[in-house]
Amino acid sequence: MERDHTSPSLTLQSAGVRVTPQRLAVFEELRESGEHLSAEALFRRVKERQPSLSLATVYRTLDMLREAGLIVEGRLGDERNFYEANVEPHFHLICLNCHEVRDLSPEGAEALHREAEANSGYRIHWSRLEFFGTCEACQARQPEMARA
Amino acid sequence: MERDHTSPSLTLQSAGVRVTPQRLAVFEELRESGEHLSAEALFRRVKERQPSLSLATVYRTLDMLREAGLIVEGRLGDERNFYEANVEPHFHLICLNCHEVRDLSPEGAEALHREAEANSGYRIHWSRLEFFGTCEACQARQPEMARA
DNA sequence: CTGTCTGCAAAGCGTTTGCATAAAA
DNA sequence: TTTTATGCAAACGCTTTGCAGACAG
């Protein structure tokens, strides 16, 4: 899992968008954490460094980053969106119990894309491949969960 | 594509739920259309036959049917849920242009589930595998869409 | 300077819920 | 008769938007 070490400001500049402290902080937080975060969670984290930050700016920034292809958007089981800086094709595993989102190896993701295009005649732009289940930790904690 | 010919009322009874005209009409509409419909679309259609129907009842009925395993729920690109009576595992193809939802053959869906379980240690309960792209008809209509 | 981004508050949207009435079993 | 579903309207949670002032280029 080699991480991209390009500075966020360079990446924003090369995407041709205006660079502001808010945008830098949001993008940096997402990249450095390597996590899958909701807009709300991201807002709380970045607000510690920038108390004047507003949630609307976070949403606008995430939209902008997604359109620039710098982040990807997914959706949690509880119907909130989440965002992450890993833009390579991969699957998501979402625990129905602890709601943690983890990545699944990208093996087969591109093949699946190509297969879907071949079988359907569609031109695939993006996809959402998410598995919802119980993670190992939660299974161990509450064995009965495994059947819910 | 063999369709289930069991009567909706028998199916509802065997699911052990109370049978009402509203529930019958919603379930029947979903099954007979064979389509992927939003709660709103379903509401408009069934309301023609039952003018007193309320949207809240449609949502409650869809929740009930989903919990009984009689329908499945998915999500459109525009963030509304859609529902369908085909409960077999399969993928969805969602056109970014006309928003039509089509099914993709289930080949590999179960294998993918098993593989995800083996690779992750998760116990998978359900999954959401959706491809967003441009359908053939829309590609022909607006060739430039194919890159959007 | 000029265009656009920000923060705020209000609105928007799909969905859910409380309550009194109506209907199923 | 008892229990549960319905319709209505209001509330909900996440996200988007209009606007006036602030800031990047």
Side-chain angles (χ1 to χ4, degrees), chain B residues 58-121:
Chain B
V58 174
Y59 275 110
R60 282 189 280 231
T61 299
L62 291 170
D63 266 12
M64 184 275 290
L65 292 171
R66 180 176 41 72
E67 271 167 32
L70 298 173
I71 64 170
V72 293
E73 186 184 87
R75 193 162 267 267
L76 294 163
D78 63 359
E79 308 310 310
R80 300 197 324 284
N81 286 337
F82 67 83
Y83 303 85
E84 67 173 325
N86 174 12
V87 296
E88 298 306 311
H90 62 277
F91 304 133
H92 289 126
L93 286 158
I94 301 167
C95 182
L96 293 167
N97 189 225
C98 66
H99 300 110
E100 190 86 13
V101 183
R102 297 181 180 83
D103 288 346
L104 190 58
S105 76
E107 251 80 71
E110 300 89 341
L112 219 60
H113 256 220
R114 284 196 303 276
E115 209 183 307
E117 291 201 330
N119 290 343
S120 67

Side-chain angles (χ1 to χ4, degrees), chain A residues 14-133:
Chain A
S14 53
V17 301
R18 197 169 272 199
V19 179
T20 67
Q22 291 88 339
R23 291 176 170 187
L24 268 174
V26 167
F27 188 34
E28 200 161 22
E29 180 65 43
L30 210 44
R31 291 225 300 190
E32 295 196 339
S33 76
E35 291 177 65
H36 306 79
L37 299 171
S38 66
E40 179 73 34
L42 210 36
F43 169 65
R44 282 197 303 271
R45 291 193 187 196
V46 178
K47 199 178 176 66
E48 287 178 22
R49 278 185 278 157
Q50 294 184 200
S52 74
L53 183 70
S54 86
L55 185 52
T57 297
V58 174
Y59 276 110
R60 282 189 282 231
T61 300
L62 291 170
D63 266 11
M64 184 276 290
L65 292 171
R66 181 175 41 71
E67 271 166 32
L70 297 173
I71 65 171
V72 293
E73 186 184 86
R75 193 162 268 266
L76 294 164
D78 62 358
E79 308 309 310
R80 301 201 318 289
N81 287 336
F82 67 82
Y83 302 85
E84 67 173 325
N86 173 11
V87 295
E88 297 306 310
H90 61 278
F91 304 134
H92 290 126
L93 285 159
I94 300 167
C95 182
L96 293 167
N97 191 227
C98 67
H99 300 111
E100 191 88 13
V101 183
R102 296 180 182 84
D103 288 346
L104 190 58
S105 76
E107 251 81 71
E110 300 90 340
L112 221 59
H113 256 221
R114 283 196 303 276
E115 211 183 306
E117 291 201 329
N119 290 341
S120 66
Y122 269 56
R123 168 145 209 154
I124 310 293
H125 298 243
W126 61 285
S127 60
R128 172 192 293 159
L129 281 67
E130 292 160 353
F131 299 92
F132 294 79

